[in-house]
Every structure is written in structure tokens, then in C-alpha cells.
Amino acid sequence: MANCGIHNVLCKCAQCFRPFPDGIFYEFEGYKYCEHDFHVLFAPCCGKCGEFVIGRVIKAMNSNWHPQCFRCEECNSELADAGFIKCQGRALCHTCNARVKAGVLGKHICHQCHGVIDDKPLRFRGELYHPYHFNCTTCGIELNSEAREVRSRPGYAANEMNELYCLRCHDKMGIPICGACRRPIEERVVTALGKHWHVEHFVCAKCEKPFLGHRHYEKKGLAYCETHYHQLFGNLCFVCNQVIAGDVFTALNKAWCVHHFACAFCDQKMNQKTKFFEFDLKPACKKCYDKFPQELKKRMRRMYDLNPKRIPSA
């Protein structure tokens, strides 16, 4: 851009042949142009805002850009000085490109170097890292994904002074490991099934609700709440056909709710101390049994003699 000077008022634009306003013109290859025609003829248009690009031009993605207009299509950060990577037809910063690539591969991004984590990540202070970025606080060995994070000491903000230890050094500290998340347990510990658990991680194998101090039932190495244990493994009452959630009364190779065990003839309630007899696979109290015909009682006695296990018990 130049100025014709006060006395050179006859200077005209080589394109529109009009005098230059205030004597200001743009010169290119020996020809002088007004600002409008110079922009139309030679200045590129920005691929984002559509305005003429005067000064520094960013040429990328088959277009021209103002430096402030050329941005990452994921995080909107400026790319003019940071550099970019073309990913699926989009201009992305290095961090976003790594994240997109990791998402396609089903992997994680390192919070420190922003690279893809090909192996198991190390979680530290809520973020994921390549394990080799860290060393054990005690012995200084390069860490792997099995490293343990120990919570900050009293008086510091959460995560402010958290430290990492290799598995060997951590085990020497005697801190229990949760059987669910495999992380150290720094506060209240639940011990069950031969393991240690965070309170919130010791849950029913069926409904996955924490027991939070309530009673649990164990079966084949798993823990169940009372409801689901009885639903899956409990007894059904011979009378009501419902799961027996409380005490179980067993008789005649059947299970009964305590308050449902009664004489099949007079409906008298019976318990463990009540004398009863078996008749047609049903219990009969002594009073009802005494009313049976003598011939019937003889046949029952002969049956009991042949199979002593069927003799009724108290």
C-alpha cells in the first residue's frame, strides 16, 4: 500500500480508472489499484468468515484462512501456530486427533502426553496415563498399570498429595485392596468372601445394591441380599408356595413357614415340640391320629416298621 502524494492527484486505479481516495493505493507488478479492486483481484477469501484475508494467510485444507479463523473442529482452539492433523476431512489439533483416534480404536488417551494408550492405563488423581510416565515414590522403579495410588495425607486437599507406589512397595505398607475395583481401601473396610471391599463396592451379585452393613448370604463365592438369596436358593413353603424369608421348619421332606406348619385335618398350629404323625405325606396331630380307625393305624404302623425313616418325630 502506498500514497500518491498531495500533488499526484491524477493517479487512477488500473482496474476501475477512478482516482484513489485520499491518494492511497495498492501496487502489484507495476500497476496501482484501489483497495476494493486489489482485494477482489488478488486477496484470498477466508474459508470460514468469507472476508478478504489481508496480511498473514493460512493455506490449509484446500482453502485460505485468517489465522484466528483456522481452528480445531473439535475443541475450537487456534491451529495457526500449534499445527494440525487432517482427520476424516476435518482439521484437528493433535490432542483432539489422538482422542478421536483412540475412540475409534476403543482405547484411552494419556492425560500427560495426549497419546493413545495401547496397553492398560494407569489411573492417577482421576485421570488416565501411560504408566511409564511415573516412578514409585519409595523405590523409584518405573511403574506399570498395577501401581497403587495412596490417598493424600491429612491436612491436604483431595488428590493434592496423592502418591503412586509399585505393587511390591504398596504391599509392604499393609493397605488392603478392594476385591471389586482393585484399588487401595483407605477408609472403612468390609471383609467378606475371603477378600476386602470398599463399603460401596460390596454388593449383591443379583441386584448390585451395596449391603451397607446389612446382612448378606454367601453362595458359591458370591454374596446376595436376603431377598435374592431366597429367590434363587431358598425354600418354598409347602402351604403358601412363597419363598421362606425367615426361619424354616423342615418336616416330611418339605419346608414350611413356621406359622404355616399345622395339622392337615384340624389346622392346629404345630412346632418343633409338637408330636405329629405322617398320613398321605401330610402331618396329623396326635389328637387327629387317635381318631383314625384301628385298621388304618395298624397299616400306618406296618409302613413305619418297614421304613423307620418315615416314623414321625417331635
Side-chain angles (χ1 to χ4, degrees):
M1 182 177 69
N3 194 309
C4 288
I6 299 177
H7 302 291
N8 195 2
V9 294
L10 298 177
C11 290
K12 297 181 179 180
C13 173
Q15 179 68 17
C16 66
F17 304 109
R18 295 178 181 175
F20 299 120
D22 301 323
I24 298 175
F25 63 90
Y26 291 80
E27 187 171 352
F28 183 73
E29 294 183 348
Y31 292 95
K32 300 179 178 64
Y33 301 90
C34 63
E35 182 177 8
H36 176 268
D37 289 333
F38 179 80
H39 288 168
V40 171
L41 293 173
F42 306 112
C45 292
C46 177
K48 181 178 182 180
C49 67
E51 299 293 332
F52 294 119
V53 182
I54 306 301
R56 184 184 179 189
V57 180
I58 304 299
K59 295 181 177 293
M61 306 294 291
N62 299 320
S63 188
N64 301 287
W65 316 81
H66 291 106
Q68 66 273 19
C69 289
F70 187 52
R71 296 175 175 270
C72 172
E73 295 187 39
E74 282 284 327
C75 66
N76 203 40
S77 61
E78 291 190 16
L79 301 174
D81 298 314
F84 75 98
I85 297 177
K86 185 177 181 180
C87 177
Q88 299 176 351
R90 300 187 301 162
L92 303 180
C93 66
H94 292 278
T95 300
C96 290
N97 177 71
R99 183 169 59 250
V100 170
K101 180 180 177 182
V104 172
L105 298 175
K107 297 183 178 181
H108 301 285
I109 293 297
C110 177
H111 187 68
Q112 179 168 322
C113 69
H114 307 297
V116 177
I117 304 175
D118 292 318
D119 298 320
K120 291 183 178 180
L122 171 62
R123 183 176 294 276
F124 181 49
R125 298 179 182 176
E127 302 292 348
L128 298 176
Y129 298 87
H130 288 109
Y132 55 72
H133 288 312
F134 301 92
N135 298 88
C136 175
T137 303
T138 298
C139 68
I141 190 175
E142 184 179 288
L143 296 178
N144 56 33
S145 60
E146 294 182 343
R148 306 298 189 194
E149 179 180 4
V150 177
R151 183 169 299 185
S152 56
R153 292 168 288 182
Y156 292 93
N159 291 335
E160 183 179 344
M161 290 298 293
N162 285 20
E163 296 175 330
L164 287 169
Y165 297 84
C166 67
L167 191 59
R168 181 178 180 182
C169 291
H170 182 271
D171 289 345
K172 292 180 180 179
M173 301 169 67
I175 301 176
I177 299 298
C178 177
C181 69
R182 306 304 303 164
R183 308 304 301 171
I185 305 175
E186 306 273 339
E187 298 178 348
R188 181 183 172 189
V189 180
V190 176
T191 302
L193 305 176
K195 299 179 181 179
H196 302 291
W197 313 82
H198 287 105
V199 175
E200 63 275 16
H201 290 166
F202 185 51
V203 300
C204 172
K206 178 66 176 179
C207 64
E208 298 185 350
K209 292 182 179 179
F211 294 108
L212 301 178
H214 296 291
R215 182 180 180 183
H216 72 278
Y217 296 78
E218 299 181 8
K219 184 75 171 183
K220 296 182 179 180
L222 298 175
Y224 298 87
C225 63
E226 184 175 13
T227 299
H228 288 109
Y229 177 83
H230 287 301
Q231 284 183 359
L232 295 171
F233 313 108
N235 297 302
L236 295 178
C237 176
F238 179 71
V239 175
C240 67
N241 200 36
Q242 298 296 316
V243 174
I244 304 174
D247 294 331
V248 180
F249 188 92
T250 304
L252 309 178
N253 295 323
K254 300 180 179 67
W256 318 68
C257 295
V258 174
H259 58 281
H260 284 162
F261 185 64
C263 174
F265 300 92
C266 68
D267 204 31
Q268 176 186 341
K269 304 299 181 184
M270 298 187 293
N271 55 41
Q272 290 88 342
K273 297 181 180 181
T274 305
K275 185 73 173 181
F276 66 91
F277 297 83
E278 177 187 353
F279 177 75
D280 194 23
L281 300 179
K282 298 177 182 179
C285 67
K286 190 174 184 305
K287 289 184 179 180
C288 291
Y289 175 79
D290 290 340
K291 296 178 182 179
F292 288 174
Q294 288 298 324
E295 186 61 30
L296 177 58
K297 288 192 286 186
K298 288 180 180 180
R299 290 201 305 268
M300 292 175 62
R301 177 55 58 184
R302 285 196 297 269
M303 181 181 63
Y304 294 148
D305 290 340
L306 293 174
N307 189 359
K309 293 183 179 180
R310 297 175 67 89
I311 296 176
S313 58

Short mmCIF file of all heavy atoms in Angstrom, two decimals, residues 26-53:
data_model
loop_
_atom_site.label_atom_id
_atom_site.label_comp_id
_atom_site.label_asym_id
_atom_site.label_seq_id
_atom_site.Cartn_x
_atom_site.Cartn_y
_atom_site.Cartn_z
N TYR A 26 -2.86 0.37 -3.79
CA TYR A 26 -2.09 -0.87 -3.64
C TYR A 26 -1.41 -1.15 -4.96
O TYR A 26 -2.01 -1.03 -6.03
CB TYR A 26 -3.01 -2.04 -3.28
CG TYR A 26 -3.62 -1.94 -1.89
CD1 TYR A 26 -4.71 -1.12 -1.66
CD2 TYR A 26 -3.09 -2.66 -0.83
CE1 TYR A 26 -5.27 -1.01 -0.40
CE2 TYR A 26 -3.64 -2.57 0.43
CZ TYR A 26 -4.73 -1.75 0.65
OH TYR A 26 -5.26 -1.65 1.90
N GLU A 27 -0.16 -1.51 -4.92
CA GLU A 27 0.61 -1.72 -6.14
C GLU A 27 0.97 -3.19 -6.28
O GLU A 27 1.41 -3.84 -5.33
CB GLU A 27 1.87 -0.86 -6.13
CG GLU A 27 2.62 -0.91 -7.46
CD GLU A 27 3.75 0.12 -7.51
OE1 GLU A 27 3.83 0.95 -6.59
OE2 GLU A 27 4.53 0.09 -8.48
N PHE A 28 0.80 -3.74 -7.49
CA PHE A 28 1.14 -5.13 -7.75
C PHE A 28 1.63 -5.26 -9.18
O PHE A 28 0.90 -4.88 -10.13
CB PHE A 28 -0.08 -6.03 -7.52
CG PHE A 28 0.21 -7.49 -7.71
CD1 PHE A 28 0.95 -8.21 -6.77
CD2 PHE A 28 -0.23 -8.15 -8.85
CE1 PHE A 28 1.22 -9.54 -6.96
CE2 PHE A 28 0.03 -9.49 -9.03
CZ PHE A 28 0.77 -10.21 -8.09
N GLU A 29 2.89 -5.72 -9.35
CA GLU A 29 3.53 -5.91 -10.65
C GLU A 29 3.49 -4.64 -11.49
O GLU A 29 3.18 -4.65 -12.69
CB GLU A 29 2.87 -7.08 -11.39
CG GLU A 29 3.10 -8.42 -10.72
CD GLU A 29 2.50 -9.56 -11.52
OE1 GLU A 29 1.72 -9.31 -12.47
OE2 GLU A 29 2.81 -10.72 -11.19
N GLY A 30 3.75 -3.49 -10.85
CA GLY A 30 3.85 -2.22 -11.56
C GLY A 30 2.54 -1.51 -11.77
O GLY A 30 2.51 -0.39 -12.31
N TYR A 31 1.42 -2.12 -11.38
CA TYR A 31 0.11 -1.50 -11.54
C TYR A 31 -0.43 -1.08 -10.18
O TYR A 31 -0.20 -1.74 -9.16
CB TYR A 31 -0.88 -2.45 -12.21
CG TYR A 31 -0.53 -2.75 -13.65
CD1 TYR A 31 0.21 -3.87 -13.97
CD2 TYR A 31 -0.96 -1.89 -14.67
CE1 TYR A 31 0.54 -4.15 -15.29
CE2 TYR A 31 -0.63 -2.17 -16.00
CZ TYR A 31 0.11 -3.30 -16.30
OH TYR A 31 0.44 -3.57 -17.60
N LYS A 32 -1.18 0.03 -10.22
CA LYS A 32 -1.76 0.56 -8.99
C LYS A 32 -3.26 0.28 -8.98
O LYS A 32 -3.94 0.42 -10.00
CB LYS A 32 -1.51 2.06 -8.89
CG LYS A 32 -0.03 2.44 -8.88
CD LYS A 32 0.12 3.96 -8.80
CE LYS A 32 1.59 4.37 -8.74
NZ LYS A 32 2.34 4.00 -9.98
N TYR A 33 -3.75 -0.11 -7.77
CA TYR A 33 -5.16 -0.48 -7.62
C TYR A 33 -5.73 0.17 -6.37
O TYR A 33 -5.03 0.35 -5.37
CB TYR A 33 -5.33 -2.00 -7.51
CG TYR A 33 -4.78 -2.77 -8.70
CD1 TYR A 33 -3.46 -3.21 -8.71
CD2 TYR A 33 -5.61 -3.06 -9.78
CE1 TYR A 33 -2.97 -3.92 -9.78
CE2 TYR A 33 -5.11 -3.78 -10.86
CZ TYR A 33 -3.80 -4.21 -10.87
OH TYR A 33 -3.30 -4.91 -11.93
N CYS A 34 -7.02 0.48 -6.45
CA CYS A 34 -7.71 0.92 -5.25
C CYS A 34 -7.88 -0.30 -4.32
O CYS A 34 -7.74 -1.45 -4.74
CB CYS A 34 -9.06 1.55 -5.57
SG CYS A 34 -10.24 0.39 -6.33
N GLU A 35 -8.21 -0.04 -3.08
CA GLU A 35 -8.28 -1.13 -2.09
C GLU A 35 -9.32 -2.19 -2.49
O GLU A 35 -9.05 -3.39 -2.41
CB GLU A 35 -8.63 -0.56 -0.70
CG GLU A 35 -8.67 -1.62 0.39
CD GLU A 35 -8.94 -1.01 1.76
OE1 GLU A 35 -9.24 0.20 1.82
OE2 GLU A 35 -8.86 -1.76 2.75
N HIS A 36 -10.48 -1.75 -2.94
CA HIS A 36 -11.54 -2.70 -3.29
C HIS A 36 -11.11 -3.61 -4.43
O HIS A 36 -11.24 -4.84 -4.35
CB HIS A 36 -12.81 -1.92 -3.70
CG HIS A 36 -13.91 -2.82 -4.17
ND1 HIS A 36 -14.07 -3.13 -5.52
CD2 HIS A 36 -14.90 -3.48 -3.50
CE1 HIS A 36 -15.09 -3.94 -5.66
NE2 HIS A 36 -15.64 -4.17 -4.44
N ASP A 37 -10.60 -3.03 -5.53
CA ASP A 37 -10.22 -3.85 -6.67
C ASP A 37 -9.02 -4.72 -6.37
O ASP A 37 -8.92 -5.85 -6.88
CB ASP A 37 -9.94 -2.95 -7.88
CG ASP A 37 -11.21 -2.33 -8.46
OD1 ASP A 37 -12.28 -2.97 -8.29
OD2 ASP A 37 -11.15 -1.25 -9.04
N PHE A 38 -8.10 -4.23 -5.55
CA PHE A 38 -6.95 -5.05 -5.19
C PHE A 38 -7.40 -6.31 -4.45
O PHE A 38 -6.92 -7.41 -4.71
CB PHE A 38 -5.98 -4.24 -4.35
CG PHE A 38 -4.77 -5.03 -3.92
CD1 PHE A 38 -3.71 -5.23 -4.79
CD2 PHE A 38 -4.71 -5.60 -2.65
CE1 PHE A 38 -2.60 -5.96 -4.40
CE2 PHE A 38 -3.61 -6.34 -2.26
CZ PHE A 38 -2.55 -6.52 -3.14
N HIS A 39 -8.33 -6.13 -3.52
CA HIS A 39 -8.85 -7.27 -2.77
C HIS A 39 -9.57 -8.25 -3.69
O HIS A 39 -9.41 -9.47 -3.58
CB HIS A 39 -9.79 -6.80 -1.67
CG HIS A 39 -9.07 -6.12 -0.55
ND1 HIS A 39 -9.74 -5.41 0.43
CD2 HIS A 39 -7.76 -6.02 -0.24
CE1 HIS A 39 -8.86 -4.92 1.29
NE2 HIS A 39 -7.65 -5.27 0.89
N VAL A 40 -10.39 -7.70 -4.60
CA VAL A 40 -11.15 -8.55 -5.50
C VAL A 40 -10.23 -9.35 -6.41
O VAL A 40 -10.46 -10.54 -6.68
CB VAL A 40 -12.14 -7.72 -6.33
CG1 VAL A 40 -12.77 -8.55 -7.43
CG2 VAL A 40 -13.20 -7.11 -5.44
N LEU A 41 -9.16 -8.71 -6.87
CA LEU A 41 -8.28 -9.35 -7.83
C LEU A 41 -7.25 -10.28 -7.20
O LEU A 41 -6.94 -11.34 -7.75
CB LEU A 41 -7.55 -8.29 -8.65
CG LEU A 41 -8.43 -7.45 -9.58
CD1 LEU A 41 -7.61 -6.31 -10.20
CD2 LEU A 41 -9.04 -8.31 -10.68
N PHE A 42 -6.74 -9.90 -6.04
CA PHE A 42 -5.57 -10.62 -5.53
C PHE A 42 -5.70 -11.17 -4.10
O PHE A 42 -5.04 -12.14 -3.76
CB PHE A 42 -4.33 -9.70 -5.59
CG PHE A 42 -4.11 -9.12 -6.94
CD1 PHE A 42 -4.29 -7.76 -7.17
CD2 PHE A 42 -3.72 -9.93 -8.00
CE1 PHE A 42 -4.09 -7.22 -8.43
CE2 PHE A 42 -3.52 -9.39 -9.27
CZ PHE A 42 -3.71 -8.03 -9.49
N ALA A 43 -6.52 -10.55 -3.26
CA ALA A 43 -6.59 -11.00 -1.87
C ALA A 43 -7.48 -12.24 -1.76
O ALA A 43 -8.61 -12.24 -2.28
CB ALA A 43 -7.13 -9.89 -0.97
N PRO A 44 -7.04 -13.32 -1.08
CA PRO A 44 -7.88 -14.52 -0.93
C PRO A 44 -9.00 -14.28 0.07
O PRO A 44 -8.91 -13.40 0.93
CB PRO A 44 -6.88 -15.57 -0.41
CG PRO A 44 -5.85 -14.76 0.31
CD PRO A 44 -5.71 -13.46 -0.43
N CYS A 45 -10.04 -15.07 -0.05
CA CYS A 45 -11.15 -15.01 0.90
C CYS A 45 -10.99 -16.10 1.96
O CYS A 45 -10.58 -17.22 1.66
CB CYS A 45 -12.49 -15.18 0.18
SG CYS A 45 -12.91 -13.81 -0.90
N CYS A 46 -11.34 -15.77 3.17
CA CYS A 46 -11.22 -16.71 4.29
C CYS A 46 -12.26 -17.83 4.14
O CYS A 46 -13.43 -17.58 3.85
CB CYS A 46 -11.42 -15.99 5.62
SG CYS A 46 -11.37 -17.09 7.06
N GLY A 47 -11.81 -19.07 4.36
CA GLY A 47 -12.70 -20.21 4.22
C GLY A 47 -13.76 -20.30 5.30
O GLY A 47 -14.72 -21.06 5.17
N LYS A 48 -13.62 -19.49 6.36
CA LYS A 48 -14.62 -19.53 7.43
C LYS A 48 -15.55 -18.33 7.40
O LYS A 48 -16.76 -18.47 7.30
CB LYS A 48 -13.94 -19.62 8.79
CG LYS A 48 -14.93 -19.69 9.95
CD LYS A 48 -14.22 -19.82 11.29
CE LYS A 48 -15.23 -19.93 12.43
NZ LYS A 48 -14.55 -20.05 13.76
N CYS A 49 -14.95 -17.12 7.49
CA CYS A 49 -15.79 -15.92 7.60
C CYS A 49 -16.14 -15.32 6.24
O CYS A 49 -17.03 -14.48 6.14
CB CYS A 49 -15.11 -14.88 8.47
SG CYS A 49 -13.60 -14.17 7.75
N GLY A 50 -15.41 -15.73 5.16
CA GLY A 50 -15.71 -15.21 3.83
C GLY A 50 -15.14 -13.84 3.55
O GLY A 50 -15.29 -13.34 2.43
N GLU A 51 -14.47 -13.22 4.51
CA GLU A 51 -13.88 -11.89 4.30
C GLU A 51 -12.52 -12.03 3.63
O GLU A 51 -11.89 -13.09 3.65
CB GLU A 51 -13.74 -11.17 5.64
CG GLU A 51 -15.05 -10.93 6.36
CD GLU A 51 -15.94 -9.95 5.63
OE1 GLU A 51 -15.40 -9.09 4.91
OE2 GLU A 51 -17.17 -10.06 5.75
N PHE A 52 -12.05 -10.89 3.02
CA PHE A 52 -10.72 -10.89 2.42
C PHE A 52 -9.67 -11.07 3.50
O PHE A 52 -9.77 -10.53 4.61
CB PHE A 52 -10.47 -9.59 1.66
CG PHE A 52 -11.34 -9.41 0.46
CD1 PHE A 52 -12.22 -8.34 0.36
CD2 PHE A 52 -11.28 -10.33 -0.60
CE1 PHE A 52 -13.03 -8.19 -0.75
CE2 PHE A 52 -12.08 -10.17 -1.70
CZ PHE A 52 -12.96 -9.11 -1.79
N VAL A 53 -8.63 -11.84 3.17
CA VAL A 53 -7.53 -12.05 4.11
C VAL A 53 -6.41 -11.09 3.76
O VAL A 53 -5.76 -11.23 2.72
CB VAL A 53 -7.01 -13.50 4.06
CG1 VAL A 53 -5.91 -13.70 5.10
CG2 VAL A 53 -8.14 -14.48 4.31
#
